[in-house]
Amino acid sequence: MLKTIIFNGVYSVFFIGQNQLFLTKINNLYMNFSKIFTLLLALATLTSCTISEEVVVNEKGEFDYFQKIDIPQIGAMMNSSNIDDKIEMNQISNNEYSYYEFVQLLQEKGGEKFRKQTEKFDLYKDDLSAIDFFKFRLDLRDKFAIEMINKSKSAEEFNSNSKIIEETFAGINIKEEKRITDELSQKKKRKRKSKQLVDEPLFSDNPMAMMTSSTYAFDGKSFSKTIDAEKFSKDFDKQNFDNDEEKAIFLGMLKQIKFKYKYTFSKKIKSLNITDAMFTLDGKTFIKEYTLEEILNNPSLGNFKVELED
């Protein structure tokens, strides 16, 4: 029973957001500002939720990018798991999954309900294979965290991978629009008198926009990050609310969610053009926290430039 509840939470975080705002009503997991956030925002009233962007750049310029969503409220539930569930959750936590593999994992663990809700993803198995370099990890070891992972050999490769992700979802969306149009046309031809529900696209324009909207540059000494604000906030800006009260509640909840940047380099940081950032004792890592509201209202807060020591 507990495992079912937990994977119901995973489903909510990963998939609801795919359609309209994973960080706003969490999936697109990581993937649609509005819907992904619905779960996060609800939990934010009970406990502290954190979204983290963590990047490690080694001496070769290799680039490990992690975007994490930590939801302690669900993690606390796991303390009462039986031993078999804990063994299974540990096994899951030790693996990384491609986008489609992660969908399959939720289909397997979530039962018939999830299979029906996610079966349309099978239509785009081949399309999604183009972004198999992009991984998910579900950490269920006495906590609840979903990670999106993009490991690249360089900042340039990361930027290139971001374009591949954007192009992949753009192509899927074109096919989704055609699928929905064709299905609606068939329903009209059958002249059904009962009210027909209009299917919604599986994804937002780009469910990974919080990651792919960033462009990086690194020459071995200087490291910079620049966010395309329009791409970053596109899904959020599309969010519709039934009334002003709903919007006010939603925006108020955004203030309760932390958004943390953590960047680690192989050399000590000489200078950073972000005020009030925290540094580790070795001087190789900086951390800066905002609220999600601050980041969504002003994505350029995530822009920075680092100079490393020789």
Side-chain angles (χ1 to χ4, degrees):
M1 178 62 180
L2 177 60
K3 184 171 66 174
T4 300
I5 294 173
I6 291 171
F7 276 94
N8 185 64
V10 176
Y11 171 84
S12 299
V13 171
F14 185 80
F15 287 109
I16 295 176
Q18 296 267 326
N19 294 330
Q20 298 296 325
L21 250 358
F22 172 67
L23 280 182
T24 314
K25 255 188 166 180
I26 253 184
N27 164 340
N28 249 12
L29 183 31
Y30 258 161
M31 298 173 194
N32 201 324
F33 264 21
S34 250
K35 305 222 168 179
I36 266 189
F37 273 134
T38 292
L39 177 62
L40 287 182
L41 295 176
L43 291 175
T45 62
L46 301 175
T47 188
S48 176
C49 300
T50 302
I51 300 169
S52 302
E53 178 178 282
E54 301 185 12
V55 175
V56 179
V57 184
N58 68 18
E59 65 278 359
K60 296 180 181 179
E62 294 171 337
F63 196 94
D64 290 351
Y65 178 102
F66 304 88
Q67 193 173 107
K68 303 178 182 179
I69 298 176
D70 293 294
I71 309 178
Q73 184 71 11
I74 295 180
M77 298 169 57
M78 298 180 193
N79 292 328
S80 58
S81 301
N82 62 48
I83 187 64
D84 290 335
D85 282 349
K86 285 188 175 182
I87 290 173
E88 183 177 8
M89 287 188 285
N90 281 336
Q91 291 172 338
I92 291 172
S93 300
N94 289 329
N95 292 318
E96 294 181 1
Y97 303 88
S98 69
Y99 195 106
Y100 186 71
E101 288 171 342
F102 196 58
V103 173
Q104 290 182 304
L105 173 67
L106 298 190
Q107 288 177 334
E108 176 188 351
K109 303 301 180 182
E112 183 64 23
K113 174 186 175 182
F114 290 165
R115 280 193 289 274
K116 289 181 178 179
Q117 291 175 321
T118 60
E119 60 185 6
K120 289 187 177 67
F121 282 84
D122 296 338
L123 298 172
Y124 305 111
K125 177 181 179 180
D126 292 340
D127 301 83
L128 291 170
S129 67
I131 59 171
D132 278 352
F133 57 83
F134 179 85
K135 302 295 184 181
F136 284 95
R137 181 163 57 219
L138 183 61
D139 193 344
L140 302 175
R141 290 169 291 200
D142 297 320
K143 63 178 182 177
F144 182 91
I146 299 176
E147 301 180 8
M148 295 188 296
I149 306 167
N150 187 351
K151 296 183 178 181
S152 307
K153 294 180 180 179
S154 65
E156 290 78 12
E157 184 176 88
F158 177 92
N159 296 337
S160 177
N161 285 346
S162 292
K163 290 182 180 179
I164 293 172
I165 292 171
E166 291 176 343
E167 291 169 357
T168 296
F169 284 107
I172 290 175
N173 279 330
I174 292 173
K175 294 180 180 180
E176 269 287 90
E177 290 176 2
K178 184 178 185 302
R179 176 185 68 81
I180 292 171
T181 299
D182 290 347
E183 287 185 0
L184 184 59
S185 176
Q186 290 299 317
K187 289 177 181 179
K188 288 181 178 179
K189 287 180 181 179
R190 289 194 290 267
K191 297 180 180 180
R192 292 185 178 178
K193 294 182 180 181
S194 58
K195 183 178 180 181
Q196 297 294 338
L197 296 177
V198 179
D199 203 355
E200 293 184 356
L202 287 175
F203 307 96
S204 64
D205 291 341
N206 176 17
M208 308 294 179
M210 291 188 71
M211 175 184 66
T212 63
S213 60
S214 297
T215 300
Y216 292 92
F218 184 51
D219 61 7
K221 185 175 182 180
S222 298
F223 183 96
S224 65
K225 173 190 174 185
T226 305
I227 295 175
D228 184 321
E230 182 178 355
K231 289 182 180 180
F232 185 94
S233 300
K234 187 174 182 179
D235 277 344
F236 179 77
D237 292 339
K238 284 183 175 182
Q239 176 65 11
N240 296 317
F241 298 93
D242 293 336
N243 51 60
D244 291 340
E245 181 181 8
E246 180 182 302
K247 182 177 181 180
I249 293 173
F250 175 76
L251 295 177
M253 287 182 174
L254 292 181
K255 298 178 182 180
Q256 306 301 317
I257 299 178
K258 297 178 183 178
F259 196 103
K260 180 174 71 175
Y261 292 108
K262 181 180 180 181
Y263 280 71
T264 300
F265 303 90
S266 61
K267 298 179 181 179
K268 189 174 181 179
I269 297 170
K270 181 179 180 180
S271 65
L272 170 67
N273 65 342
I274 296 179
T275 59
D276 301 326
M278 297 182 292
F279 295 87
T280 54
L281 290 176
D282 62 7
K284 296 180 180 181
T285 299
F286 81 82
I287 300 169
K288 177 64 177 178
E289 288 190 2
Y290 299 97
T291 66
L292 184 56
E293 179 193 42
E294 290 173 319
I295 290 296
L296 291 175
N297 287 337
N298 185 10
S300 64
L301 289 172
N303 296 343
F304 64 85
K305 184 175 182 179
V306 169
E307 293 289 337
L308 302 179
E309 292 188 354
D310 294 330

